């Protein structure tokens, strides 16, 4: 078993590791450190390390007026996939989500991201909505965990 650690980014160095993983996986929507400093206050962010190497990151968004569900997103860099790390990171997101209330649990995956969709379905999520953001060409798929009073 690798030496796996999870850290909530309280300092800029850890936040930069979170940013690196996010922006590598989602180059179409790169996030600046300034944006992340602000998101860190509203969302629960975490970085997954194998030894001292950042291999993944996660976001847990509390429910708000627009989205009554807690939103969880796990990301693992391609060289580290299919070793169970995504499942471990996601389980930690669920533990946090359980403390945040909300109508249910949902996740969002870019429709072209077949690995993300396969992962979400393997973990029991079911598709509830496909939507296109203004100016975008690839839709997002919203998926929710059934049986948790999920609001689509
Ligand atoms: C989704 C993601 C986090 C999966 O990370 P991972 O470390 O490879 O996931 P795991 O190894 O824990 O896989 C768990 C299960 O998901 C399914 N799965 C994951 N990737 C898959 C793929 N490419 N094809 C088919 N099934 C897949 C399998 O059932 C797998 O279990 P198994 O390996 O025992 O068969 C990673 O692919 C990623 O970061 N994708 C981009 C971000 C994203 O779309 N996140 C999804 C929102 S939660």
């Amino acid at each position: 078993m690798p030496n796996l650690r999870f850290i909530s980014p309280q300092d800029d160095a850890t936040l930069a590791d979170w940013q690196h993983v996010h922006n590598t996986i989602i180059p179409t929507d790169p996030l600046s450190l300034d944006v992340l400093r602000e998101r860190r206050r509203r969302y629960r962010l975490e970085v997954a390390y194998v030894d001292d190497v950042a291999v993944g990151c996660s976001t847990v968004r509390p429910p708000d007026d627009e989205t009554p569900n807690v939103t969880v997103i796990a990301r693992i860099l391609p060289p580290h996939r299919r070793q169970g790390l995504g499942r471990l990171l996601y389980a930690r997101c669920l533990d946090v989500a359980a403390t945040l209330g909300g109508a249910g649990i949902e996740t969002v995956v870019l429709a072209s991201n077949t690995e993300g969709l396969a992962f979400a379905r393997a973990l029991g999520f079911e598709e509830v909505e496909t939507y296109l953001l203004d100016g975008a060409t690839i839709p997002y798929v919203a998926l929710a965990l059934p049986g948790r009073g999920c609001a689509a």
Side-chain angles (χ1 to χ4, degrees):
M1 193 63 185
N3 179 17
L4 190 59
R5 294 180 300 137
F6 300 92
I7 298 183
S8 169
Q10 303 302 322
D11 56 76
D12 273 4
T14 316
L15 202 58
D17 286 339
W18 192 101
Q19 178 192 37
H20 164 70
V21 174
H22 177 277
N23 292 356
T24 301
I25 292 176
I26 310 177
T28 50
D29 184 21
L31 299 176
S32 69
L33 273 182
D34 274 349
V35 165
L36 287 176
R37 286 187 196 104
E38 189 272 326
R39 287 198 184 181
R40 176 172 60 188
R41 289 198 285 271
R42 288 187 292 130
Y43 301 159
R44 309 296 181 90
L45 307 180
E46 208 166 49
V47 185
Y49 292 91
V50 170
D51 296 322
D52 289 329
V53 179
V55 299
C57 74
S58 65
T59 305
V60 181
R61 290 184 209 140
D64 59 24
D65 292 343
E66 266 181 38
T67 311
N69 296 328
V70 179
T71 303
V72 302
I73 304 173
R75 307 172 196 89
I76 297 291
L77 289 171
H80 303 279
R81 288 180 185 169
R82 298 311 295 270
Q83 300 169 45
L85 297 178
R87 203 186 280 270
L88 287 174
L89 190 55
Y90 164 78
R92 293 179 63 86
C93 292
L94 277 194
D95 287 346
V96 173
T99 69
L100 296 175
I105 310 252
E106 70 176 55
T107 191
V108 184
V109 182
L110 206 57
S112 58
N113 180 0
T114 51
E115 286 191 296
L117 288 172
F119 173 81
R121 287 179 184 133
L123 270 57
F125 284 87
E126 293 179 2
E127 205 169 311
V128 290
E129 187 189 8
T130 298
Y131 58 92
L132 204 54
L133 294 179
D134 281 350
T137 52
I138 304 173
Y140 280 97
V141 182
L143 304 101
L145 279 185
R148 297 203 180 206
C150 283

